[in-house]
Amino acid sequence: MADLFAGYEPASPDDTPAADAPLADRLRPRRLGDVVGQEHLTGPEGAIGRMVAAGRLSSMILWGPPGTGKTTIARLLADAVGLRFAPISAVFSGVADLKKAFAEARDHARAGRRTLLFVDEIHRFNRAQQDGFLPYVENGTVTLIGATTENPSFELNAALLSRAQVLILHRLDRAALDRLLDRAVEEMGRPLPLTTAAREALVASADGDGRFLLNQAETLFSVEIGDPLDPAGLSSFLQRRVAVYDKDREGHYNIISALHKAVRGSDPQAALYYLARMLTAGEEPLYALRRLTRMAIEDIGMADPQALPQCIAAKDAYELLGSPEGELAIVQACLYLATAPKSNASYRAMKDAWRIARETGSLMPPANILNAPTRLMKDIGYGKGYEYDHDADGAFSGANYWPDGMAAQRFYEPTGRGYEKRVAERLAWWDERRREKSD
């Protein structure tokens, strides 16, 4: 099996696609060793490499971005271990197609040939359809390889995941994409009509997607271009690639999580970058503002009480101005939060207070602070002994406000940062007054 991991070589005449086939098809790897960017899986020490060397595959889920080789790897695996390759797409297939695929696999199994069932976009099958794979995977009728661009933890049944190994394909890095372009140049027999800087820009525009890169290269090869294009010329010639950012998928949550953590970590440059990633990919600006407002409350709070008004003001400004002018207000709010002193004391205090409130049930407040709108309530002691704080020295009576039988709790512990430093000093003064009164 060692030759499976050799370097790239042109395909033999017998399996070379037609001359007019798309460039990406002509360059489709014929062996696992031709696959670029996934050596952590396909190399001799990788999970796939070890399975091929042993001549036995387990069911697996290939999880990775578009254009990273999931379909190609599945097809090559079938060839490498002598399995029948049966591909279906969850986008175009239903229950009838699955039944047919399983029946055909069962027939081939009786004839002594096992089937590798490749399911592209497997996450698009619903939970019941995913359950339908289980008996055929368990009894060995098929070896399942599913491909998905979505996080399997969210999109696939736990039962299916327990029977399949999840293998993660990497976004193609610059070196891998450069190798693909070199193969394209070799296949076409002439150089790309690009300057060095423009070639670098082309690779960067692919965003880790090898298929997209080869399609763009094919467009460049398909026309007569005189002088090599510089980056500006390339940009005007080729369609700009839109970043992968599905608003209801994992990419969406990854970027908003990165923005939140960059703000929490007081890195305004990184925070602005992730905000830009969201907005330039088409995220709803008011969603970004809602998330920023949450950050103002959770991660800054009383350390800078102006953080929350900044976010509300940014919302008002955006609604008044619209895009793109109003997006500058969102940027200002983002930078304000990232550069503000941080405290999650309010957030922690809320969690602790909610927990104690659930645990203590319906304890009555002490009688001295109960309202007494009727004579009966006054007669039974409601409001008796209440000390009006504004009449006390320093407008602080030091009275007890906790229910009888419940010890005083301490939920809010201000930090020594920002405005909370002053709050901490004030709380310490009040605590001292209470101790003096109790002595």
Side-chain angles (χ1 to χ4, degrees):
M1 292 294 180
D3 63 322
L4 288 172
F5 307 101
Y8 170 76
E9 296 177 3
S12 66
D14 293 338
D15 58 4
T16 300
D20 59 351
L23 181 60
D25 283 347
R26 281 181 277 160
L27 293 178
R28 189 179 293 278
R30 306 289 184 265
R31 300 176 304 173
L32 281 172
D34 299 343
V35 177
V36 301
Q38 311 304 335
E39 290 79 8
H40 65 293
L41 296 177
T42 60
E45 300 303 317
I48 288 175
R50 290 178 179 275
M51 282 189 274
V52 170
R56 185 174 182 84
L57 298 182
S58 61
S59 292
M60 66 187 79
I61 303 298
L62 302 179
W63 171 28
T68 52
K70 297 184 290 295
T71 303
T72 296
I73 288 175
R75 187 181 297 276
L76 294 175
L77 278 174
D79 292 340
V81 298
L83 296 182
R84 168 179 168 266
F85 184 71
I88 63 172
S89 169
V91 176
F92 302 109
S93 303
V95 174
D97 301 289
L98 288 175
K99 288 182 177 179
K100 180 180 177 182
F102 293 137
E104 291 177 350
R106 192 164 47 242
D107 291 341
H108 280 275
R110 292 192 186 106
R113 190 177 187 194
R114 296 182 58 208
T115 296
L116 186 155
L117 178 64
F118 174 67
V119 184
D120 198 16
E121 305 287 344
I122 191 172
H123 62 276
R124 293 184 181 271
F125 278 134
N126 61 37
R127 302 284 172 166
Q129 289 169 322
Q130 291 177 30
D131 283 340
F133 289 101
L134 300 179
Y136 300 98
V137 172
E138 288 179 340
N139 65 22
T141 301
V142 299
T143 296
L144 174 67
I145 296 187
T148 179
T149 57
E150 304 300 329
N151 191 326
S153 300
F154 302 147
E155 304 295 337
L156 300 183
N157 284 358
L160 185 58
L161 287 177
S162 71
R163 292 162 174 81
Q165 185 176 359
V166 176
L167 303 181
I168 301 173
L169 279 73
H170 293 165
R171 175 182 181 274
L172 298 188
D173 60 17
R174 180 176 293 276
L177 293 171
D178 274 330
R179 288 167 63 191
L180 286 182
L181 277 188
D182 289 342
R183 293 181 186 179
V185 169
E186 181 181 351
E187 173 70 21
M188 298 303 295
R190 64 182 189 274
L192 280 165
L194 300 174
T195 65
T196 300
R199 175 175 165 133
E200 292 177 356
L202 177 64
V203 170
S205 74
D207 196 23
D209 185 333
R211 185 188 306 111
F212 178 87
L213 178 67
L214 292 177
N215 289 341
Q216 295 291 68
E218 185 168 29
T219 300
L220 288 166
F221 281 126
S222 67
V223 297
E224 292 293 332
I225 297 175
D227 296 332
L229 298 174
D230 61 11
L234 175 68
S235 178
S236 63
F237 182 80
L238 293 177
Q239 177 181 345
R240 181 180 69 87
R241 178 174 175 80
V242 177
V244 176
Y245 186 83
D246 292 329
K247 294 183 186 179
D248 62 344
R249 301 292 181 181
E250 192 198 17
H252 162 84
Y253 297 107
N254 285 344
I255 298 300
I256 192 59
S257 175
L259 172 60
H260 195 149
K261 290 178 174 64
V263 167
R264 179 183 293 155
S266 300
D267 189 333
Q269 318 304 340
L272 188 56
Y273 166 72
Y274 289 116
L275 178 65
R277 283 275 299 272
M278 294 173 66
L279 296 182
T280 58
E283 180 60 81
E284 172 57 47
L286 286 177
Y287 171 79
L289 270 169
R290 287 195 295 272
R291 299 304 303 177
L292 289 170
T293 303
R294 168 62 189 252
M295 298 171 208
I297 300 168
E298 178 180 342
D299 294 293
I300 297 168
M302 290 286 287
D304 186 345
Q306 286 302 308
L308 178 57
Q310 282 282 334
C311 292
I312 302 304
K315 178 189 76 71
D316 292 343
Y318 177 78
E319 290 179 338
L320 178 65
L321 296 174
S323 291
E325 292 87 352
E327 291 174 5
L328 184 58
I330 305 177
V331 168
Q332 178 175 317
C334 177
L335 294 176
Y336 189 99
L337 300 187
T339 56
K342 304 301 188 294
S343 170
N344 70 342
S346 297
Y347 177 65
R348 289 187 288 107
M350 173 184 170
K351 293 178 67 175
D352 289 344
W354 262 236
R355 175 178 55 81
I356 293 297
R358 286 190 292 266
E359 291 175 359
T360 54
S362 304
L363 290 178
M364 284 287 287
N368 65 302
I369 64 171
L370 295 178
N371 193 30
T374 69
R375 177 172 294 277
L376 173 62
M377 296 169 81
K378 291 178 181 177
D379 289 344
I380 61 176
Y382 280 27
K384 184 177 181 181
Y386 172 62
E387 299 178 70
Y388 187 56
D389 283 84
H390 291 290
D391 290 340
D393 182 29
F396 179 75
S397 68
N400 173 54
Y401 297 100
W402 292 91
D404 294 336
M406 179 179 176
Q409 304 291 310
R410 196 166 186 90
F411 304 125
Y412 177 53
E413 293 284 0
T415 69
R417 297 183 290 276
Y419 180 76
E420 276 195 319
K421 181 177 181 181
R422 294 168 57 188
V423 175
E425 293 170 352
R426 196 176 304 144
L427 291 181
W429 185 81
W430 285 333
D431 287 343
E432 181 61 28
R433 293 291 302 274
R434 287 191 181 94
R435 282 193 292 271
E436 292 173 356
K437 183 172 182 175
S438 63
D439 288 343

